[in-house]
Each structure stands twice: as structure tokens, then as C-alpha cells.
Amino acid sequence: MVMQPLLPAKADGAYRTIGELSRETGLPQHILRYWETRFPQLKPLQRAGNRRYYRPEDVALVQRIATMLNEDGYTIRGVQQALMAERKRPSGPLPASSIDAILSVRDSLARALEQDLG
């Protein structure tokens, strides 16, 4: 058996080929290509000859999808819906009125717990 020399680890911000991503995640290449057809958020750069280059955000998304499918029990459709819901969710800080409402609910729950325990 011939041992392959260990390649130096790539920097976190480096682009990965589909083979490198497959080795790092343990996912077969055909699964990664399939996920590209099912998750529009997963769009690696493609160069000549359709060679794929996964950016760090693509790598993070692949790892997240894998976790949701293999550990959290989501279906493909469930992951699609979860990712779509995140895109629709506004980003940035909550408005002050929302924060006040959340704090009010938290305080009333804390009072209710104190009454039950006391």
C-alpha cells in the first residue's frame, strides 16, 4: 500500500476544490453536486471546464446543510425551507419596540415563575 504524502493544510479563507471539500467533510462529490441543484444558496465559483471552487461561505453552508440533514433529522425540503426562512428574516438589530416587547414578556414570565416557586 502506497501512502499519500500529507498535503499542507489550506488556510481557512482559501478556496477549496470539490475534491478537497469532499475529503474535508467526508461527503461524496456527487452529493455536493446534487446539493448545488437543490440549494440555490450554494453556488461555488466555476472556472474553465466547470471546475468548482468553494468559497469559505460555501464551505460553511455545506457543513451546515450536512449537520441539518445528518444530525438534526431534517429532510432536503426541510433544510430548503429553513434556509429560505433565514433569507426572508430581516438582518440587523431589532427595533427598540421589539426589544421592549421581548423584555416585557421576559419580566412577566419571571414574575410568574417566582409566584409559582414562592
Side-chain angles (χ1 to χ4, degrees):
M1 177 178 201
V2 176
M3 296 293 292
Q4 294 278 353
L6 291 176
L7 299 174
K10 277 194 160 183
D12 287 338
Y15 286 27
R16 308 263 190 297
T17 64
I18 194 168
E20 291 168 337
L21 184 57
S22 175
R23 282 189 297 279
E24 287 180 17
T25 61
L27 296 166
Q29 292 181 26
H30 70 275
I31 295 295
L32 295 170
R33 287 189 292 273
Y34 172 71
W35 285 359
E36 289 174 28
T37 67
R38 306 313 274 161
F39 303 103
Q41 301 87 345
L42 184 58
K43 288 288 183 200
L45 297 175
Q46 289 192 342
R47 299 286 187 223
N50 285 336
R51 190 164 173 85
R52 292 165 168 80
Y53 291 95
Y54 291 85
R55 297 171 291 238
E57 55 269 18
D58 295 322
V59 173
L61 181 58
V62 164
Q63 291 169 335
R64 186 148 177 251
I65 291 169
T67 298
M68 291 174 84
L69 288 171
N70 300 325
E71 295 175 21
D72 298 340
Y74 281 77
T75 62
I76 292 281
R77 184 73 184 131
V79 175
Q80 289 170 334
Q81 290 173 343
L83 294 176
M84 292 295 272
E86 285 178 6
R87 281 187 20 187
K88 292 178 183 176
R89 198 176 312 141
S91 60
L94 290 173
S97 60
S98 295
I99 293 172
D100 291 340
I102 292 169
L103 292 175
S104 173
V105 169
R106 183 194 68 183
D107 292 342
S108 62
L109 289 171
R111 283 192 301 275
L113 281 172
E114 286 174 6
Q115 290 175 353
D116 285 346
L117 296 176

